[in-house]
Amino acid sequence: MREIAPILKLLLTSSIWSQAKCAPAAARDNLPIAIPSGVAPGPPGASGSLYGSQSFEGPDGNPVDPADSAEVNDYQLVPGQTEDKDLGLYLDLESVPNPQPIRGTGGGIDGGPRNMIYEKLNPDVYAPPGTDAGDFGNSKWPMGLSYNRQGLDRAGFARQQNVEQLPIATQMAGVDMRLSPHAYRELHWHQANEWAYVFNGSVRVGAMDENGQTTYDDLNAGDVWFFPSGKPHTLQALDQGTEFLLIFDSGTFSEDNTFLASELFLRTPKSVLAKDLRTDISAFENLPKSQLYIFPGTPAPANLSAQNITGPAGSVTSNPYTYHFSQQEPYVVPGGSVKIIDPTTFPIASNFSAALVVVQPGAMREIHWHTDSDEWNFFISGNARITVFSAPAASRTFDFAGGDVGYVPFPDTHYIENTGDVDVVYLEVLQAPKFTDISVSQWLGLTPPQVVKDTLHLPDELVARLPKYKSYIVPGHTNLTDPNYRS
């Protein structure tokens, strides 16, 4: 007993010591006490025990507590939730206060712990369609969960998605960046190619190529720029401020690994800087103490020509780095519209192809796949869902809202269905020299009817109506619990 006396003094109020002091004196010396080594005294006022008795192991003969129930009675199912789970109807779980992971005869009651906010935002994950099967990686990342790197003096912010957040997205990464009025994204360059889409506001962009040719342009909401890897460039918000999306052709790209002008000067000996720029070291007394990244700036002159600096090589005249996509009229079809930009009209972006797609309520971007690229999506507005099918027998359904990133590996089939009451607007980006896809309905319509019937056992009436054209978008009614789309 002498050896354990100091420890017992630390456990005067513990259940173990209570058992020890109640035991007969002759039995105390042999009482097994499970005391971890190295237990230190606790703070003043501490009570209880960090560990329980070994007597708690195994059956204890106590009856089950009938009051401790995992059942939940205060819940309500939403329209479509009791239908056949293979119908895969959209379930509006936000319409009830206590949603449950039930679809048809599948699932069960969730008594918690739980996070209802995420469950309501992701009904097709919480109560998946019966057609979802197999093993498939996550294809969704909300930018709202990305670390928000802040600029100096409220000059803006940036948040990114790469393979660290979405491991399946190996071909592309994205950055959502905001610049306050007159703020800069400091002079920089990248290892990856940069394709950008302006969400709102206006921005002045500038760049120089390896020949010393320069380019400057003012871009507005809906416009696009492209800077090849290694080309130095600058971005400055104009009076309205701006927010834009950057897409890079590497899933491992990170904004934190950008080559910055401030870091270049901070990491180079001042004597070398002086020799290179033909000055003395006093010129570098006021260099920034650390990288600037995003920082406030002097307002840019309203007249672009005042900043259109050129040297002996002149300006970039062939293959310009900007494209005024906002001025392109969309291709309108029943259920929405599509605008495509690829090297056909923007050749400098030699391997970036993109579509700006608008899907009206009830409508759907038709089931398709791409012939030579993964697909990177960014949802600008609205609510939608995507089911991804991957060979041989796996599929998953994901739900999206504005600010979410989606990713579909090549050559998996997928669709984008509007599940809300406003237009879905999103970008569909490929790493390809031309925007191409295969429409499932067109493929079947251009396959001999007997082949389709022998393979899928579809009725003659449906086979006869299969389209021989690409729809891009198919219309539908807004009652997503009604699966009848004959009209």
Side-chain angles (χ1 to χ4, degrees), residues 20-49:
K21 71 179 182 179
C22 294
R28 290 176 190 163
D29 290 343
N30 298 318
L31 183 68
I33 301 179
I35 306 291
S37 62
V39 175
S47 64
S49 173

PDB file of all heavy atoms in Angstrom, residues 20-49:
ATOM      1  N   ALA A  20     -12.395   1.275  -2.744  1.00  0.00           N
ATOM      2  CA  ALA A  20     -11.282   0.840  -1.894  1.00  0.00           C
ATOM      3  C   ALA A  20     -11.571   1.073  -0.419  1.00  0.00           C
ATOM      4  O   ALA A  20     -11.338   0.200   0.421  1.00  0.00           O
ATOM      5  CB  ALA A  20     -10.003   1.564  -2.314  1.00  0.00           C
ATOM      6  N   LYS A  21     -12.113   2.228  -0.063  1.00  0.00           N
ATOM      7  CA  LYS A  21     -12.305   2.530   1.364  1.00  0.00           C
ATOM      8  C   LYS A  21     -13.473   1.762   1.981  1.00  0.00           C
ATOM      9  O   LYS A  21     -13.573   1.650   3.200  1.00  0.00           O
ATOM     10  CB  LYS A  21     -12.486   4.045   1.556  1.00  0.00           C
ATOM     11  CG  LYS A  21     -13.802   4.592   1.049  1.00  0.00           C
ATOM     12  CD  LYS A  21     -13.878   6.100   1.310  1.00  0.00           C
ATOM     13  CE  LYS A  21     -15.217   6.665   0.846  1.00  0.00           C
ATOM     14  NZ  LYS A  21     -15.324   8.109   1.116  1.00  0.00           N
ATOM     15  N   CYS A  22     -14.360   1.258   1.077  1.00  0.00           N
ATOM     16  CA  CYS A  22     -15.485   0.476   1.575  1.00  0.00           C
ATOM     17  C   CYS A  22     -15.149  -1.006   1.708  1.00  0.00           C
ATOM     18  O   CYS A  22     -15.920  -1.785   2.269  1.00  0.00           O
ATOM     19  CB  CYS A  22     -16.699   0.632   0.670  1.00  0.00           C
ATOM     20  SG  CYS A  22     -17.373   2.308   0.681  1.00  0.00           S
ATOM     21  N   ALA A  23     -14.028  -1.419   1.166  1.00  0.00           N
ATOM     22  CA  ALA A  23     -13.644  -2.831   1.213  1.00  0.00           C
ATOM     23  C   ALA A  23     -13.114  -3.162   2.598  1.00  0.00           C
ATOM     24  O   ALA A  23     -12.581  -2.303   3.311  1.00  0.00           O
ATOM     25  CB  ALA A  23     -12.575  -3.130   0.159  1.00  0.00           C
ATOM     26  N   PRO A  24     -13.248  -4.451   2.998  1.00  0.00           N
ATOM     27  CA  PRO A  24     -12.667  -4.871   4.295  1.00  0.00           C
ATOM     28  C   PRO A  24     -11.169  -4.601   4.316  1.00  0.00           C
ATOM     29  O   PRO A  24     -10.492  -4.639   3.285  1.00  0.00           O
ATOM     30  CB  PRO A  24     -12.964  -6.373   4.336  1.00  0.00           C
ATOM     31  CG  PRO A  24     -14.134  -6.561   3.411  1.00  0.00           C
ATOM     32  CD  PRO A  24     -13.972  -5.531   2.341  1.00  0.00           C
ATOM     33  N   ALA A  25     -10.652  -4.326   5.486  1.00  0.00           N
ATOM     34  CA  ALA A  25      -9.232  -3.974   5.616  1.00  0.00           C
ATOM     35  C   ALA A  25      -8.325  -5.037   5.058  1.00  0.00           C
ATOM     36  O   ALA A  25      -7.307  -4.739   4.399  1.00  0.00           O
ATOM     37  CB  ALA A  25      -8.891  -3.712   7.096  1.00  0.00           C
ATOM     38  N   ALA A  26      -8.695  -6.298   5.272  1.00  0.00           N
ATOM     39  CA  ALA A  26      -7.828  -7.390   4.796  1.00  0.00           C
ATOM     40  C   ALA A  26      -7.808  -7.473   3.286  1.00  0.00           C
ATOM     41  O   ALA A  26      -6.863  -7.988   2.697  1.00  0.00           O
ATOM     42  CB  ALA A  26      -8.305  -8.723   5.392  1.00  0.00           C
ATOM     43  N   ALA A  27      -8.903  -6.958   2.631  1.00  0.00           N
ATOM     44  CA  ALA A  27      -8.990  -7.084   1.163  1.00  0.00           C
ATOM     45  C   ALA A  27      -8.380  -5.896   0.444  1.00  0.00           C
ATOM     46  O   ALA A  27      -8.154  -5.949  -0.757  1.00  0.00           O
ATOM     47  CB  ALA A  27     -10.454  -7.257   0.742  1.00  0.00           C
ATOM     48  N   ARG A  28      -8.120  -4.813   1.175  1.00  0.00           N
ATOM     49  CA  ARG A  28      -7.653  -3.606   0.501  1.00  0.00           C
ATOM     50  C   ARG A  28      -6.311  -3.797  -0.177  1.00  0.00           C
ATOM     51  O   ARG A  28      -6.036  -3.236  -1.232  1.00  0.00           O
ATOM     52  CB  ARG A  28      -7.570  -2.438   1.489  1.00  0.00           C
ATOM     53  CG  ARG A  28      -8.925  -1.934   1.940  1.00  0.00           C
ATOM     54  CD  ARG A  28      -8.795  -0.850   2.985  1.00  0.00           C
ATOM     55  NE  ARG A  28     -10.073  -0.542   3.590  1.00  0.00           N
ATOM     56  CZ  ARG A  28     -10.216   0.112   4.722  1.00  0.00           C
ATOM     57  NH1 ARG A  28      -9.139   0.503   5.390  1.00  0.00           N
ATOM     58  NH2 ARG A  28     -11.422   0.350   5.192  1.00  0.00           N
ATOM     59  N   ASP A  29      -5.418  -4.581   0.514  1.00  0.00           N
ATOM     60  CA  ASP A  29      -4.088  -4.759  -0.062  1.00  0.00           C
ATOM     61  C   ASP A  29      -4.141  -5.461  -1.402  1.00  0.00           C
ATOM     62  O   ASP A  29      -3.255  -5.270  -2.241  1.00  0.00           O
ATOM     63  CB  ASP A  29      -3.201  -5.542   0.892  1.00  0.00           C
ATOM     64  CG  ASP A  29      -2.841  -4.735   2.127  1.00  0.00           C
ATOM     65  OD1 ASP A  29      -3.017  -3.497   2.074  1.00  0.00           O
ATOM     66  OD2 ASP A  29      -2.403  -5.336   3.123  1.00  0.00           O
ATOM     67  N   ASN A  30      -5.175  -6.268  -1.661  1.00  0.00           N
ATOM     68  CA  ASN A  30      -5.268  -7.042  -2.897  1.00  0.00           C
ATOM     69  C   ASN A  30      -6.276  -6.462  -3.890  1.00  0.00           C
ATOM     70  O   ASN A  30      -6.545  -7.067  -4.927  1.00  0.00           O
ATOM     71  CB  ASN A  30      -5.657  -8.495  -2.579  1.00  0.00           C
ATOM     72  CG  ASN A  30      -4.606  -9.173  -1.724  1.00  0.00           C
ATOM     73  OD1 ASN A  30      -3.416  -9.007  -1.961  1.00  0.00           O
ATOM     74  ND2 ASN A  30      -5.050  -9.937  -0.721  1.00  0.00           N
ATOM     75  N   LEU A  31      -6.866  -5.301  -3.562  1.00  0.00           N
ATOM     76  CA  LEU A  31      -7.866  -4.708  -4.446  1.00  0.00           C
ATOM     77  C   LEU A  31      -7.196  -4.212  -5.734  1.00  0.00           C
ATOM     78  O   LEU A  31      -6.274  -3.396  -5.664  1.00  0.00           O
ATOM     79  CB  LEU A  31      -8.550  -3.527  -3.743  1.00  0.00           C
ATOM     80  CG  LEU A  31      -9.692  -2.853  -4.531  1.00  0.00           C
ATOM     81  CD1 LEU A  31     -10.864  -3.828  -4.643  1.00  0.00           C
ATOM     82  CD2 LEU A  31     -10.129  -1.571  -3.842  1.00  0.00           C
ATOM     83  N   PRO A  32      -7.623  -4.720  -6.958  1.00  0.00           N
ATOM     84  CA  PRO A  32      -7.007  -4.239  -8.211  1.00  0.00           C
ATOM     85  C   PRO A  32      -7.462  -2.819  -8.522  1.00  0.00           C
ATOM     86  O   PRO A  32      -8.649  -2.539  -8.577  1.00  0.00           O
ATOM     87  CB  PRO A  32      -7.530  -5.238  -9.246  1.00  0.00           C
ATOM     88  CG  PRO A  32      -8.826  -5.722  -8.687  1.00  0.00           C
ATOM     89  CD  PRO A  32      -8.656  -5.734  -7.195  1.00  0.00           C
ATOM     90  N   ILE A  33      -6.522  -1.942  -8.647  1.00  0.00           N
ATOM     91  CA  ILE A  33      -6.852  -0.548  -8.961  1.00  0.00           C
ATOM     92  C   ILE A  33      -6.154  -0.181 -10.266  1.00  0.00           C
ATOM     93  O   ILE A  33      -4.929  -0.221 -10.349  1.00  0.00           O
ATOM     94  CB  ILE A  33      -6.409   0.405  -7.833  1.00  0.00           C
ATOM     95  CG1 ILE A  33      -7.090   0.003  -6.519  1.00  0.00           C
ATOM     96  CG2 ILE A  33      -6.721   1.844  -8.195  1.00  0.00           C
ATOM     97  CD1 ILE A  33      -6.699   0.862  -5.344  1.00  0.00           C
ATOM     98  N   ALA A  34      -6.974   0.183 -11.320  1.00  0.00           N
ATOM     99  CA  ALA A  34      -6.411   0.515 -12.637  1.00  0.00           C
ATOM    100  C   ALA A  34      -6.025   1.978 -12.661  1.00  0.00           C
ATOM    101  O   ALA A  34      -6.827   2.847 -12.956  1.00  0.00           O
ATOM    102  CB  ALA A  34      -7.420   0.218 -13.740  1.00  0.00           C
ATOM    103  N   ILE A  35      -4.805   2.264 -12.272  1.00  0.00           N
ATOM    104  CA  ILE A  35      -4.311   3.641 -12.223  1.00  0.00           C
ATOM    105  C   ILE A  35      -3.278   3.827 -13.326  1.00  0.00           C
ATOM    106  O   ILE A  35      -2.212   3.207 -13.277  1.00  0.00           O
ATOM    107  CB  ILE A  35      -3.656   3.960 -10.868  1.00  0.00           C
ATOM    108  CG1 ILE A  35      -4.614   3.650  -9.716  1.00  0.00           C
ATOM    109  CG2 ILE A  35      -3.207   5.410 -10.837  1.00  0.00           C
ATOM    110  CD1 ILE A  35      -5.789   4.570  -9.625  1.00  0.00           C
ATOM    111  N   PRO A  36      -3.548   4.667 -14.365  1.00  0.00           N
ATOM    112  CA  PRO A  36      -2.512   4.934 -15.374  1.00  0.00           C
ATOM    113  C   PRO A  36      -1.319   5.611 -14.744  1.00  0.00           C
ATOM    114  O   PRO A  36      -1.461   6.402 -13.797  1.00  0.00           O
ATOM    115  CB  PRO A  36      -3.216   5.863 -16.366  1.00  0.00           C
ATOM    116  CG  PRO A  36      -4.682   5.706 -16.080  1.00  0.00           C
ATOM    117  CD  PRO A  36      -4.788   5.383 -14.637  1.00  0.00           C
ATOM    118  N   SER A  37      -0.149   5.284 -15.222  1.00  0.00           N
ATOM    119  CA  SER A  37       1.056   5.923 -14.712  1.00  0.00           C
ATOM    120  C   SER A  37       1.119   7.365 -15.178  1.00  0.00           C
ATOM    121  O   SER A  37       0.609   7.718 -16.235  1.00  0.00           O
ATOM    122  CB  SER A  37       2.287   5.158 -15.219  1.00  0.00           C
ATOM    123  OG  SER A  37       2.347   5.200 -16.632  1.00  0.00           O
ATOM    124  N   GLY A  38       1.738   8.207 -14.389  1.00  0.00           N
ATOM    125  CA  GLY A  38       1.951   9.583 -14.774  1.00  0.00           C
ATOM    126  C   GLY A  38       0.746  10.485 -14.591  1.00  0.00           C
ATOM    127  O   GLY A  38       0.652  11.534 -15.207  1.00  0.00           O
ATOM    128  N   VAL A  39      -0.269  10.079 -13.740  1.00  0.00           N
ATOM    129  CA  VAL A  39      -1.425  10.939 -13.504  1.00  0.00           C
ATOM    130  C   VAL A  39      -0.995  12.107 -12.633  1.00  0.00           C
ATOM    131  O   VAL A  39      -0.470  11.915 -11.537  1.00  0.00           O
ATOM    132  CB  VAL A  39      -2.568  10.150 -12.846  1.00  0.00           C
ATOM    133  CG1 VAL A  39      -3.721  11.085 -12.505  1.00  0.00           C
ATOM    134  CG2 VAL A  39      -3.025   9.028 -13.756  1.00  0.00           C
ATOM    135  N   ALA A  40      -1.193  13.305 -13.093  1.00  0.00           N
ATOM    136  CA  ALA A  40      -0.775  14.498 -12.370  1.00  0.00           C
ATOM    137  C   ALA A  40      -1.956  15.119 -11.644  1.00  0.00           C
ATOM    138  O   ALA A  40      -3.099  14.902 -12.013  1.00  0.00           O
ATOM    139  CB  ALA A  40      -0.159  15.512 -13.344  1.00  0.00           C
ATOM    140  N   PRO A  41      -1.682  15.889 -10.576  1.00  0.00           N
ATOM    141  CA  PRO A  41      -2.782  16.571  -9.875  1.00  0.00           C
ATOM    142  C   PRO A  41      -3.519  17.505 -10.813  1.00  0.00           C
ATOM    143  O   PRO A  41      -2.929  18.122 -11.702  1.00  0.00           O
ATOM    144  CB  PRO A  41      -2.047  17.342  -8.763  1.00  0.00           C
ATOM    145  CG  PRO A  41      -0.715  16.680  -8.634  1.00  0.00           C
ATOM    146  CD  PRO A  41      -0.373  16.154  -9.980  1.00  0.00           C
ATOM    147  N   GLY A  42      -4.827  17.629 -10.615  1.00  0.00           N
ATOM    148  CA  GLY A  42      -5.630  18.513 -11.444  1.00  0.00           C
ATOM    149  C   GLY A  42      -5.675  19.919 -10.888  1.00  0.00           C
ATOM    150  O   GLY A  42      -5.068  20.222  -9.855  1.00  0.00           O
ATOM    151  N   PRO A  43      -6.399  20.812 -11.534  1.00  0.00           N
ATOM    152  CA  PRO A  43      -6.503  22.204 -11.068  1.00  0.00           C
ATOM    153  C   PRO A  43      -7.361  22.294  -9.822  1.00  0.00           C
ATOM    154  O   PRO A  43      -8.144  21.377  -9.515  1.00  0.00           O
ATOM    155  CB  PRO A  43      -7.171  22.906 -12.250  1.00  0.00           C
ATOM    156  CG  PRO A  43      -7.976  21.839 -12.912  1.00  0.00           C
ATOM    157  CD  PRO A  43      -7.169  20.592 -12.764  1.00  0.00           C
ATOM    158  N   PRO A  44      -7.272  23.391  -9.079  1.00  0.00           N
ATOM    159  CA  PRO A  44      -8.121  23.581  -7.893  1.00  0.00           C
ATOM    160  C   PRO A  44      -9.591  23.481  -8.281  1.00  0.00           C
ATOM    161  O   PRO A  44     -10.029  24.015  -9.295  1.00  0.00           O
ATOM    162  CB  PRO A  44      -7.754  24.992  -7.415  1.00  0.00           C
ATOM    163  CG  PRO A  44      -6.371  25.228  -7.957  1.00  0.00           C
ATOM    164  CD  PRO A  44      -6.321  24.500  -9.256  1.00  0.00           C
ATOM    165  N   GLY A  45     -10.342  22.770  -7.478  1.00  0.00           N
ATOM    166  CA  GLY A  45     -11.771  22.618  -7.725  1.00  0.00           C
ATOM    167  C   GLY A  45     -12.130  21.423  -8.566  1.00  0.00           C
ATOM    168  O   GLY A  45     -13.323  21.144  -8.767  1.00  0.00           O
ATOM    169  N   ALA A  46     -11.139  20.683  -9.081  1.00  0.00           N
ATOM    170  CA  ALA A  46     -11.433  19.502  -9.888  1.00  0.00           C
ATOM    171  C   ALA A  46     -11.999  18.398  -9.017  1.00  0.00           C
ATOM    172  O   ALA A  46     -11.662  18.283  -7.839  1.00  0.00           O
ATOM    173  CB  ALA A  46     -10.163  19.017 -10.586  1.00  0.00           C
ATOM    174  N   SER A  47     -12.888  17.613  -9.594  1.00  0.00           N
ATOM    175  CA  SER A  47     -13.474  16.495  -8.860  1.00  0.00           C
ATOM    176  C   SER A  47     -13.729  15.355  -9.821  1.00  0.00           C
ATOM    177  O   SER A  47     -13.615  15.504 -11.037  1.00  0.00           O
ATOM    178  CB  SER A  47     -14.773  16.930  -8.181  1.00  0.00           C
ATOM    179  OG  SER A  47     -15.738  17.298  -9.162  1.00  0.00           O
ATOM    180  N   GLY A  48     -14.108  14.212  -9.279  1.00  0.00           N
ATOM    181  CA  GLY A  48     -14.391  13.067 -10.122  1.00  0.00           C
ATOM    182  C   GLY A  48     -13.127  12.337 -10.518  1.00  0.00           C
ATOM    183  O   GLY A  48     -12.039  12.574  -9.991  1.00  0.00           O
ATOM    184  N   SER A  49     -13.266  11.444 -11.489  1.00  0.00           N
ATOM    185  CA  SER A  49     -12.155  10.609 -11.911  1.00  0.00           C
ATOM    186  C   SER A  49     -12.023  10.620 -13.417  1.00  0.00           C
ATOM    187  O   SER A  49     -13.019  10.641 -14.137  1.00  0.00           O
ATOM    188  CB  SER A  49     -12.374   9.170 -11.435  1.00  0.00           C
ATOM    189  OG  SER A  49     -11.386   8.308 -11.961  1.00  0.00           O
TER     190      SER A  49
END
